[in-house]
Amino acid sequence: MPESPSVTSGTGVVPDDSEAGSGAPAALAGDAALSGNGASGSAGAAGPVAVDRETLRLALVVGGLVLAVLLGFGLGRMNAPAGAARPAGATAGVATGGSDGGTHAHSPGTGAHTHDGATVTQGGGDGATGLSITSAGYTLVPSTELVAGRAGELRFQIRDDQRRAVTRFAVVHDKPMHVIMVRRDLSGYRHLHPTMAADGTWSVPITAPDAGPWRMYADFTAVADDGRQVAVVLGADLTASGAYRPRPLPAAATSATVDGFTAGYAGTPEVGKSVPLRFRVTGADGAAAALEPYLGAYGHLVALREGDLGYLHVHPEPVRDGDDVTFWLTAPGPGSYRMFLDFQVGGVVRTAEFTLTVP
């Protein structure tokens, strides 16, 4: 992040004016002496004395005005609110943190999502990200044509503010790039991990099972030329050719079944408040499933807001609470959300889907 511009305190300017001000009493004394001389002197000497007195008075008035302006400007700059002089392009709501126990300010929706010391760039104004194709100086450039039911390839680049393909990325949660694909009606969820070619082009095989509009999210941490790590989520719309028949959002529920496993959670998300959601996965026999670490955690939770498809990617607490996996979630606003929980058992990753309504 660029350094904030230095604030000019007035040092080196105010002292000069202060010296002029401290000389004012002597000038006034001289003026009085001249007045006395004019009163007692000859008429021929009175004219020059009067001119000098008016000149001094004018100089004192002008000097006082200049001093007041300079002092007011200097004091105003020194007492400016923190952040008021933020440079152009600086991002509000930026948090830093790391896995070494450093402070990590959780913006709405981010929960326990850390980026190993990277500058975390939020978007959307309320904690939801992925609403823009460009953010923090990076742009998502997809080059993909999807055909429903046909195997294809998702291809894209991340470019910087000079339109150069970015090729340096930090590994976060075991991968340098996480891609989420979801259909506009919040069905057809995919969590992908593409590979990058030498020219910065990312690619991953994909089959779009349903026609219609899709949204892709690129969730990554770029390494800038100066070594800074900037975590960004970018989003772009794609279309799978064919007739689009949107499905209604399933009813809100706190449990879901997938491949014989039942995932349920306890907790009620609130707008603007970080709330724990405790998930538990059980097998067909009702016993807690033997969860395995997946991408460095015992689960990954993505929530997408119905309508604008605002994106929240939340990672769990590193230590499990018994058989539970705890995520801290802050709802950025009221509405309906679709949550997708990725978990791994027996080497197989499964996704449980939930509809959540936030009043």
Side-chain angles (χ1 to χ4, degrees), residues 53-343:
R53 182 170 60 252
E54 293 302 322
T55 300
L56 285 171
R57 287 176 177 171
L58 179 60
L60 287 171
V61 171
V62 172
L65 290 175
V66 171
L67 176 61
V69 170
L70 289 174
L71 286 174
F73 178 78
L75 290 173
R77 290 296 298 274
M78 288 188 288
N79 294 321
R86 179 169 286 168
T91 303
V94 173
T96 59
S99 57
D100 58 356
T103 301
H104 187 99
H106 297 311
S107 297
T110 61
H113 191 179
T114 61
H115 285 279
D116 300 327
T119 298
V120 180
T121 302
Q122 301 298 339
D126 61 4
T129 59
L131 297 174
S132 174
I133 200 169
T134 296
S135 180
Y138 296 95
T139 300
L140 171 60
V141 183
S143 56
T144 296
E145 292 184 5
L146 299 178
V147 179
R150 182 182 300 175
E153 190 175 54
L154 177 65
R155 296 171 59 85
F156 63 93
Q157 285 186 338
I158 304 298
R159 296 181 184 171
D160 62 17
D161 55 4
Q162 300 180 44
R163 299 193 59 79
R164 301 175 302 180
V166 180
T167 58
R168 298 177 64 200
F169 297 84
V171 174
V172 178
H173 295 286
D174 294 347
K175 299 290 182 180
M177 179 68 67
H178 298 262
V179 171
I180 301 297
M181 291 278 296
V182 69
R183 201 165 175 247
R184 172 61 63 175
D185 60 2
L186 295 178
S187 67
Y189 174 86
R190 297 285 186 275
H191 186 165
L192 308 171
H193 300 107
T195 57
M196 188 187 71
D199 67 350
T201 298
W202 293 89
S203 62
V204 62
I206 185 173
T207 298
D210 298 301
W214 288 69
R215 183 78 173 171
M216 73 165 289
Y217 303 89
D219 188 338
F220 61 91
T221 297
V223 180
D225 290 340
D226 60 3
R228 288 180 304 117
Q229 295 186 15
V230 184
V232 187
V233 178
L234 303 177
D237 290 325
L238 304 173
T239 299
S241 60
Y244 176 48
R245 297 182 179 85
R247 303 186 183 98
L249 199 65
T254 58
S255 65
T257 301
V258 53
D259 293 344
F261 292 93
T262 299
Y265 72 90
T268 304
E270 299 180 32
V271 175
K273 182 179 180 181
S274 185
V275 174
L277 299 185
R278 295 183 173 88
F279 285 82
R280 176 175 294 188
V281 180
T282 58
D285 58 357
L291 296 181
E292 301 166 348
Y294 169 59
L295 299 176
Y298 282 102
H300 292 268
L301 182 67
V302 168
L304 297 168
R305 181 167 55 194
E306 185 181 35
D308 65 356
L309 299 190
Y311 171 96
L312 308 175
H313 192 178
V314 191
H315 295 280
E317 293 288 353
V319 178
R320 295 174 62 182
D321 182 9
D323 294 323
D324 294 348
V325 182
T326 301
F327 298 82
W328 289 83
L329 182 90
T330 306
S336 295
Y337 294 77
R338 191 69 169 160
M339 297 195 303
F340 302 89
L341 174 69
D342 292 333
F343 64 92

